[in-house]
Amino acid sequence: MVRFFRNIGLLLLMPAVAWSQTNDGPYIRATATFSPCWSLVRNETYSYLTGELEYFPQPHLSLRGEGSYLAGMKDDLAFSYHLKHREDIFFGMAWHPLGDDHHLDPYLVLQTGFSRMQPVVNGFAHRNAVSPLQTAGIGASYYFSKYFHFFANVRWVGGEYLGDAPQKIGLYEIRGAAGLGFHLTRQAFKHSD
């Protein structure tokens, strides 16, 4: 699984290195954080280890890849199932209305992806299954130095487990994330002749 995330990251990074533009806005942005999550279906909270990689082909548009791993959960014992493990991968884009001429960068995100998860229902572990997901959210980054920025975002994630569980398992939740991110500007890729 680590190899898969590494290969996806390299695929997203290759076009960024090959194409440089003239303005100084963020070119590649990366974050890693723990993301709290609140289920909209059950009375439970999760914690994900989340990483994002974002590439800006234009000042107002970015392409985003994201991976998350279920790091922990606190579930309501009134329900008869819990998740043994879950990994999510998302791909999509974000619209940045202010472009790259500002320190503050608000954005809207639309992504699609998939989740690989294994539920345990009434003590029985069901098979791993891959289920489609979609997400929409808002966020903002504040660029305060040449390489680092603060970020915060919140989003809705939706989908359903498509495996062999005897009951429908909804994957509808609200996720949040905040922290310190790393970025490179287009100037970092220019070569002096």
Side-chain angles (χ1 to χ4, degrees):
M1 193 57 144
V2 172
R3 244 187 338 195
F4 178 76
F5 283 115
R6 184 194 68 210
N7 291 340
I8 293 298
L10 289 174
L11 284 174
L12 291 173
L13 186 62
M14 287 183 338
V17 174
W19 180 23
S20 103
Q21 297 181 2
T22 59
N23 51 357
D24 285 340
Y27 195 57
I28 296 175
R29 189 178 78 86
T31 65
T33 188
F34 281 100
S35 299
C37 171
W38 299 269
S39 174
L40 297 175
V41 178
R42 298 172 32 160
N43 183 22
E44 61 187 9
T45 58
Y46 306 105
S47 178
Y48 289 96
L49 177 60
T50 302
E52 297 176 354
L53 184 61
E54 189 169 17
Y55 163 61
F56 290 78
Q58 299 176 8
H60 293 281
L61 178 70
S62 64
L63 304 176
R64 297 169 57 102
E66 176 183 335
S68 60
Y69 176 77
L70 180 64
M73 67 185 296
K74 179 183 177 201
D75 56 343
D76 185 348
L77 298 178
F79 286 90
S80 60
Y81 71 88
H82 67 276
L83 300 178
K84 186 173 181 181
H85 67 77
R86 178 174 170 185
E87 298 95 19
D88 300 339
I89 295 179
F90 294 100
F91 299 100
M93 60 184 202
W95 176 61
H96 303 262
L98 299 181
D100 59 6
D101 294 331
H102 305 281
H103 289 287
L104 181 63
D105 177 26
Y107 53 86
L108 299 172
V109 177
L110 290 174
Q111 293 177 303
T112 188
F114 59 89
S115 177
R116 187 178 77 96
M117 61 180 279
Q118 181 179 21
V120 176
V121 180
N122 296 325
F124 177 74
H126 290 267
R127 69 176 175 86
N128 282 315
V130 176
S131 303
L133 295 175
Q134 56 275 343
T135 184
I138 59 171
S141 295
Y142 181 74
Y143 296 92
F144 65 90
S145 83
K146 186 174 180 179
Y147 297 110
F148 297 101
H149 63 278
F150 291 118
F151 70 95
N153 63 53
V154 63
R155 65 182 170 224
W156 168 86
V157 177
E160 291 184 8
Y161 172 70
L162 298 180
D164 62 351
Q167 64 196 62
K168 180 175 146 181
I169 299 177
L171 306 176
Y172 301 97
E173 54 198 26
I174 298 291
R175 290 188 191 181
L180 181 66
F182 176 76
H183 65 271
L184 294 175
T185 63
R186 290 174 179 87
Q187 293 298 325
F189 290 95
K190 290 191 183 254
H191 300 285
S192 58
D193 293 328

